[in-house]
Amino acid sequence: MAPYDLPKDAVWFITGCSSGLGLTLSTFLATHTQSRIVCTARQPTSLIPIPSTPNVLKLALDVTSESSIQSALSATLAKWSRIDVLVNNAGYGFVTDSETAPTHTTHALMDTNFWAPVRLTQLVLPILRDSNPTTGQRGGVVLQVTSMGGRVAFAGNAFYHASKFALEGFTEAIAKEMAPEWNVHFCCIEPGGVKTRYAETSTAGALEEGERHPAYLDPNLATNVLLKYKSSPDAMKNWAEPEVVVRAVYGVVRDGVGEEGEIPLRMPLGSDSWGMQKMERERELRDLEVVREVALSTSGEEQLASIGFLRK
């Protein structure tokens, strides 16, 4: 697919702008670009820190509510007639022992982290493909903020990873459904550790909702080792600055990456994200070789040849 030509007055629709990367990205766009920004959050009062300018539209949005989503999109189109960049940023973490995780809590997490961006993507796609060309701007970009947790899983975060892995899989598949002439681009933004309140809010109360089973109290178990790391005062010392991360995100949308300047399907951000993903892919390749003989014993080479058309 050809590189994307980001208009200077692009309309960015961003979810989860009350804090973290959503707040930082909105503020950066409002103060350093000519972009028009739709900043959304459950409580509009939480958007006060974002500069109020003619290029900023602040809206209430509950991403788990169909009517709320429809209302926010309608208000955006009424004001600016198009959306160029959708940023599905709203989401949260949940650290728990998977065996005893409350069902209502895990369902709510999936609703916010997976089903909400899926629904927003479904509703914005026709705008990018059909409505934008009537305003003189063809196509657009969908950014799914997943984190390196969409590619690498850690103990105690099973439901968070399930939501992000699901969003990555959905995005990889739907990106392949796009016709090149639609000029619609997808990118999973995969930050590693960033100096936001995520580490604090993702663990706060998560393990106190019910008493932990004694089997999981061993300090040497991986979940407890991770919790100890996160509680250390030095844990975030080497994490990325939010401002640096959002500048990189903006640069990827504006300029793409590599010699061709295309927007990548996946964009790790941070040496931890890139490094952990590289190590994980190398481990997977080694594991594939270990099981190669058994795998290939179940069919001939003709089976692989028959699906050669799927290779892209």
Side-chain angles (χ1 to χ4, degrees):
M1 185 176 289
Y4 178 68
D5 186 15
L6 179 72
K8 288 185 177 180
D9 64 346
V11 178
W12 294 63
F13 187 101
I14 308 171
T15 68
C17 298
S18 62
S19 62
L21 291 180
L23 173 61
T24 307
L25 177 59
S26 299
T27 303
F28 169 78
L29 293 172
T31 55
H32 292 87
T33 77
Q34 299 175 41
S35 303
R36 294 173 287 180
I37 311 105
V38 184
C39 312
T40 69
R42 281 178 179 266
Q43 300 297 330
T45 54
S46 66
L47 302 174
I48 291 174
I50 300 170
S52 295
T53 75
N55 281 352
V56 174
L57 176 62
K58 301 178 182 180
L59 297 175
L61 174 61
D62 176 357
V63 296
T64 65
S65 165
E66 177 76 13
S67 61
S68 183
I69 292 173
Q70 295 280 6
S71 177
L73 293 178
S74 295
T76 300
L77 295 178
K79 185 172 181 64
W80 286 315
S81 302
R82 72 177 202 251
I83 294 172
D84 299 294
V85 184
L86 167 64
V87 185
N88 279 316
N89 170 72
Y92 60 95
F94 181 65
V95 180
T96 187
D97 300 317
S98 302
E99 178 184 331
T100 54
T103 300
H104 70 278
T105 304
T106 56
H107 282 206
L109 182 143
M110 291 297 295
D111 285 343
T112 298
N113 288 12
F114 176 65
W115 288 115
V118 165
R119 187 59 181 142
L120 275 156
T121 299
Q122 289 176 316
L123 292 172
V124 169
L125 272 178
I127 298 172
L128 304 184
R129 184 191 62 236
D130 303 328
S131 301
N132 283 1
T134 67
T135 68
Q137 181 60 36
R138 186 170 59 93
V141 181
V142 177
L143 300 180
Q144 315 281 31
V145 180
T146 62
S147 91
M148 73 174 177
R151 299 282 277 166
V152 182
F154 302 96
N157 293 267
F159 297 97
Y160 172 77
H161 291 303
S163 69
K164 296 301 186 178
F165 271 55
L167 186 55
E168 292 254 353
F170 167 80
T171 304
E172 180 176 335
I174 198 171
K176 294 177 180 178
E177 297 174 13
M178 301 296 104
E181 59 268 24
W182 297 349
N183 195 31
V184 175
H185 304 253
F186 286 84
C187 180
C188 293
I189 300 297
E190 302 167 339
V194 182
K195 293 178 181 177
T196 65
R197 294 184 61 235
Y198 170 79
E200 173 189 341
T201 58
S202 67
T203 56
L207 292 173
E208 285 94 34
E209 288 200 8
E211 291 186 9
R212 299 181 71 188
H213 191 285
Y216 291 99
L217 299 180
D218 183 346
N220 295 314
L221 286 177
T223 299
N224 297 323
V225 171
L226 184 62
L227 287 171
K228 183 178 180 180
Y229 161 73
K230 283 189 172 184
S231 65
S232 167
D234 295 329
M236 297 175 62
K237 183 171 65 176
N238 297 315
W239 288 11
E241 297 291 342
E243 294 79 7
V244 177
V245 173
V246 302
R247 283 180 180 272
V249 171
Y250 178 70
V252 168
V253 177
R254 184 191 61 193
D255 304 322
V257 298
E259 294 182 1
E260 301 299 325
E262 295 184 355
I263 295 177
L265 176 63
R266 292 184 170 90
M267 188 65 247
L269 292 173
S271 58
D272 53 351
S273 180
W274 187 90
M276 288 296 294
Q277 291 196 48
K278 184 173 186 292
M279 286 190 290
E280 190 69 8
R281 302 293 83 77
E282 290 172 344
R283 182 194 63 76
E284 289 175 350
L285 286 173
R286 291 193 299 269
D287 289 349
L288 272 175
E289 287 302 316
V290 170
V291 301
R292 182 176 185 273
E293 184 176 345
V294 175
L296 299 186
S297 70
T298 64
S299 73
E301 293 183 3
E302 297 81 6
Q303 186 179 27
L304 175 58
S306 70
I307 60 169
F309 70 96
L310 294 175
R311 296 179 183 177
K312 280 191 177 181

